[in-house]
């Protein structure tokens, strides 16, 4: 089917001058390249992605990805739909992150960013300093999870905490209380330990805020809850808060970024 060109066009000013390729730092180019590639091939590894030829042109900044026509046409149709619907509903994670990146960059740096097939830019996606129609990655919700690791430190005079060396997070510092630590009858230090924690998780990306971890309880392996009983307990704990949500369907859509 041949090749087509997908373009990222950035206009604006920087340091009192019209933006040109020379005014972008190498770290910015890496981010723009990465998000542009993820927009085109969200579910393909670099090894499996089609060959892409990139060209940088002035005017102000034009980044052109030349690759398979089918991929460019598909993405052009996708962003055209997003321009109308103004929602990231059901987009692959990498594509959603890419579009949020370009929206954020346009707003924060007072830039004009256009994405689209080079010969159809008027039917592409346009971000400006006032664009805010894509949901930001700010929907953090508190969840409870079980994690395992080696307990390497516990205590603290003013802010008690434990340090758990885990595979998922490295050494995770978990806030706790004197009451929980004082109630422990066994020495858990330098032992493999399972703990139940509360932690903030991003509803859009699944990322955890490791600085928010709070200890709920130490869980001995032979006393660990079954998945069913654990789920039942969480549902019961959330029931009172859930009752206060009047329009549950609208609330869920808002959290997921579906828009109105």
């Amino acid at each position: 089917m041949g090749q087509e060109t997908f373009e990222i066009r950035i206009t604006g000013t920087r340091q009192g001058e019209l933006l040109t390729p020379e005014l972008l730092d190498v770290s910015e180019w890496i981010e723009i390249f990465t998000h542009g590639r993820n927009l085109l091939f969200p579910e393909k590894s670099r090894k499996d992605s089609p060959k892409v030829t990139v060209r940088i042109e002035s005017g102000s900044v034009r980044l052109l990805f030349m690759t398979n026509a089918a991929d460019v046409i598909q993405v052009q149709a996708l962003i055209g739909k997003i321009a109308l619907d103004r929602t990231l509903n059901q987009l692959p994670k990498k594509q959603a992150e890419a579009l949020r990146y370009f929206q954020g960059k346009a707003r924060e740096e007072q830039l004009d960013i256009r994405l689209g097939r080079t010969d159809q830019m008027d039917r592409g996606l346009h971000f400006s300093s006032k664009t805010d129609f894509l949901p930001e990655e700010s929907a953090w919700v508190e969840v409870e999870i079980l994690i395992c690791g080696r307990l390497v430190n516990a205590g603290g005079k003013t802010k008690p905490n434990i340090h758990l060396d885990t595979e998922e997070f490295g050494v995770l510092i978990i806030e706790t209380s004197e009451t929980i630590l004082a109630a422990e009858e066994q020495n858990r230090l330098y032992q493999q330990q399972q703990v139940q924690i509360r932690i903030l998780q991003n509803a859009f990306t699944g990322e955890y805020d490791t600085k928010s971890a709070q200890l709920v309880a130490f869980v001995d392996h032979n006393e660990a809850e079954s998945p069913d009983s654990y789920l039942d307990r969480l549902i019961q704990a959330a029931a009172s808060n859930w009752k206060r949500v009047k329009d549950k369907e609208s609330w869920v859509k808002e959290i997921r970024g579906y828009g109105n």
Side-chain angles (χ1 to χ4, degrees):
M1 191 175 180
Q3 289 194 325
E4 290 287 349
T5 302
F6 185 84
E7 182 172 342
I8 299 172
R9 186 182 301 170
I10 308 174
T11 57
T13 60
R14 180 172 289 184
Q15 301 169 10
E17 301 179 24
L18 288 176
L19 190 65
T20 62
E22 294 77 18
L23 293 178
L24 268 65
D25 183 77
V26 64
S27 61
E28 290 181 275
W29 280 119
I30 291 172
E31 289 181 331
I32 294 169
F33 280 129
T34 300
H35 288 295
R37 177 194 171 280
N38 289 343
L39 185 59
L40 286 166
F41 315 114
E43 297 177 338
K44 296 179 182 178
S45 66
R46 293 185 179 180
K47 181 180 178 182
D48 297 330
S49 297
K51 181 180 179 181
V52 179
T53 302
V54 176
R55 188 169 72 245
I56 299 172
E57 295 183 359
S58 294
S60 296
V61 174
R62 298 179 65 202
L63 181 61
L64 297 96
F65 293 83
M66 289 154 283
T67 187
N68 293 346
D71 292 304
V72 174
I73 292 170
Q74 183 177 5
V75 173
Q76 177 71 17
L78 174 69
I79 62 176
K81 186 176 185 300
I82 291 171
L84 293 174
D85 296 347
R86 301 198 168 199
T87 176
L88 300 183
N89 184 15
Q90 297 181 348
L91 274 189
K93 177 181 176 181
K94 288 184 178 181
Q95 278 186 325
E97 289 177 346
L99 293 177
R100 291 194 189 98
Y101 165 79
F102 289 118
Q103 174 176 271
K105 191 171 185 65
R107 292 175 63 186
E108 293 167 11
E109 302 184 38
Q110 306 291 300
L111 298 173
D112 188 286
I113 301 178
R114 295 178 183 271
L115 312 174
R117 185 173 164 181
T118 297
D119 60 352
Q120 297 180 10
M121 293 295 283
D122 59 329
R123 285 183 275 171
L125 199 55
H126 175 210
F127 297 119
S128 72
S129 60
K130 297 180 180 180
T131 303
D132 62 358
F133 62 78
L134 300 184
E136 299 294 340
E137 298 182 43
S138 58
W140 293 90
V141 294
E142 188 176 77
V143 298
E144 284 192 17
I145 60 174
L146 293 172
I147 59 172
C148 295
R150 184 169 179 261
L151 187 64
V152 296
N153 196 7
K157 183 176 181 180
T158 58
K159 294 183 178 180
N161 58 59
I162 64 171
H163 294 200
L164 196 69
D165 190 1
T166 71
E167 289 187 7
E168 300 96 326
F169 307 108
V171 177
L172 182 64
I173 299 176
I174 305 171
E175 181 182 338
T176 185
S177 67
E178 290 186 10
T179 303
I180 292 178
L181 294 180
E184 286 301 309
E185 297 180 355
Q186 59 177 300
N187 182 10
R188 301 180 185 272
L189 198 59
Y190 303 121
Q191 304 294 321
Q192 284 296 120
Q193 179 62 52
Q194 185 177 43
V195 298
Q196 181 180 336
I197 65 171
R198 294 190 186 95
I199 191 168
L200 293 177
Q201 185 179 29
N202 192 292
F204 294 115
T205 67
E207 174 189 5
Y208 292 104
D209 178 3
T210 55
K211 294 181 180 179
S212 69
Q214 296 179 316
L215 182 66
V216 176
F218 292 102
V219 180
D220 293 327
H221 291 286
N222 59 350
E223 297 176 358
E225 292 179 283
S226 69
D228 288 341
S229 61
Y230 178 63
L231 180 60
D232 288 342
R233 185 173 57 78
L234 291 184
I235 291 173
Q236 184 177 2
S240 58
N241 290 331
W242 186 240
K243 289 178 181 178
R244 294 200 294 267
V245 180
K246 295 182 180 180
D247 190 341
K248 296 176 175 56
E249 183 177 354
S250 296
W251 183 85
V252 170
K253 286 183 177 180
E254 181 180 353
I255 287 295
R256 293 179 176 175
Y258 290 0
N260 296 324

